[in-house]
Amino acid sequence: MPLVRKESPEEVIVRISPSRNTIIVQERSPGGVLSYREIDPVEFYYALNGSCAGNEYISSGFLPEHCLHVSMNAEERRFVIWNPDLRADVIYRDTEYLDFPLPRLVFGLRVLADGRVADCSMGVVEDEPPTEDTPMFYYPFSNVYEDERVCTGNNILPRYKKLSALKNFPRYLLGLPDNDDMFYSAHNQKGLDHKALLEHLKDKNPAYYYTDILVPNGRTLSDFILRG
């Protein structure tokens, strides 16, 4: 029996039905419909993804120390950095607190192609080896939104020629002058105001945060990473 070549469709029509959560595929030829079937949206995604033949890689470059996660495209890169330091010099209004104790912090950075930090976020995590399930707490001080993005006011964020230099960003951010914007006394177990909290903590050990200060926010390190 001679081999019969299947007629190539003149066009393929894809109809998406959000209400039914289905995708309908029709193949049409000059003589009419060749085939008609419903497919699952996930199946359709894998069909498209499998048809991509690109072999280009996007290089991360040399990553900063303690980098937990990186995602990127041609225009920007997003990093999550685990901060190894539990002390920093901080400024509240006109008062400088040298070698101030801190809980364990993680930082999220969105870095543009030219090396400029476009925005950042900051969160408090349990002081343990990091995993996706590591619990998080409310940041007990100020200038951090509910979604953990940091309000940097009129301060210009730095530009780094080498991505490895991003390891210096936490100390830069923590050294910016602080105020009372977005400070909530409910975010510390003592219910103290900002000034009183700083005075209370200045001579404490960083471990004190986890027994007497921090309030859980119900999120995990995975939530922080995915929120970007």
Side-chain angles (χ1 to χ4, degrees):
M1 178 180 297
L3 179 65
V4 178
R5 183 180 298 276
K6 181 180 178 181
E7 184 179 3
S8 296
E10 183 178 73
E11 62 180 346
V12 176
I13 300 173
V14 178
R15 292 191 173 94
I16 300 174
S17 175
S19 60
R20 296 174 56 194
N21 196 33
T22 59
I23 296 175
I24 300 169
V25 178
Q26 289 181 327
E27 291 184 347
R28 289 186 179 275
S29 70
V33 176
L34 291 178
S35 65
Y36 172 98
R37 72 186 185 103
E38 288 187 359
I39 63 173
D40 184 88
V42 175
E43 181 184 352
F44 182 64
Y45 164 78
Y46 281 113
L48 291 177
N49 188 58
S51 67
C52 295
N55 294 319
E56 291 187 20
Y57 289 91
I58 298 178
S59 174
S60 69
F62 199 86
L63 297 176
E65 292 180 272
H66 310 290
C67 182
L68 296 180
H69 181 85
V70 59
S71 57
M72 67 188 74
N73 58 31
E75 297 179 353
E76 63 183 36
R77 303 178 186 186
R78 295 176 182 265
F79 300 88
V80 174
I81 298 175
W82 173 264
N83 187 33
D85 298 325
L86 295 175
R87 292 185 179 273
D89 297 340
V90 300
I91 301 172
Y92 172 72
R93 297 190 180 275
D94 297 326
T95 304
E96 185 175 13
Y97 294 89
L98 300 178
D99 201 36
F100 189 82
L102 296 170
R104 179 67 64 190
L105 300 174
V106 289
F107 294 82
L109 295 85
R110 183 168 67 91
V111 183
L112 303 182
D114 63 359
R116 180 167 56 89
V117 179
D119 56 57
C120 58
S121 55
M122 177 167 54
V124 181
V125 292
E126 186 68 67
D127 189 20
E128 64 180 23
T131 71
E132 293 180 341
D133 298 323
T134 295
M136 298 196 70
F137 304 85
Y138 288 107
Y139 184 69
F141 305 114
S142 63
N143 291 328
V144 175
Y145 292 100
E146 180 67 23
D147 64 358
E148 281 134 354
R149 288 186 303 110
V150 178
C151 176
T152 56
N154 295 323
N155 295 287
I156 298 175
L157 295 177
R159 176 180 175 181
Y160 295 100
K161 294 182 179 180
K162 294 182 179 180
L163 292 178
S164 57
L166 289 173
K167 67 179 182 181
N168 300 316
F169 183 80
R171 186 166 293 275
Y172 165 81
L173 186 64
L174 292 168
L176 294 178
D178 211 349
N179 55 36
D180 294 323
D181 292 348
M182 290 172 285
F183 177 86
Y184 303 101
S185 59
H187 288 176
N188 71 82
Q189 293 182 34
K190 305 291 186 183
L192 299 172
D193 63 36
H194 199 175
K195 178 67 174 180
L197 180 63
L198 290 165
E199 290 294 321
H200 179 72
L201 288 169
K202 65 181 181 181
D203 297 321
K204 299 293 192 297
N205 187 286
Y208 181 78
Y209 280 92
Y210 294 94
T211 57
D212 291 76
I213 297 298
L214 296 178
V215 177
N217 64 14
R219 294 191 284 271
T220 65
L221 183 53
S222 178
D223 297 324
F224 182 84
I225 291 171
L226 292 175
R227 183 173 290 181

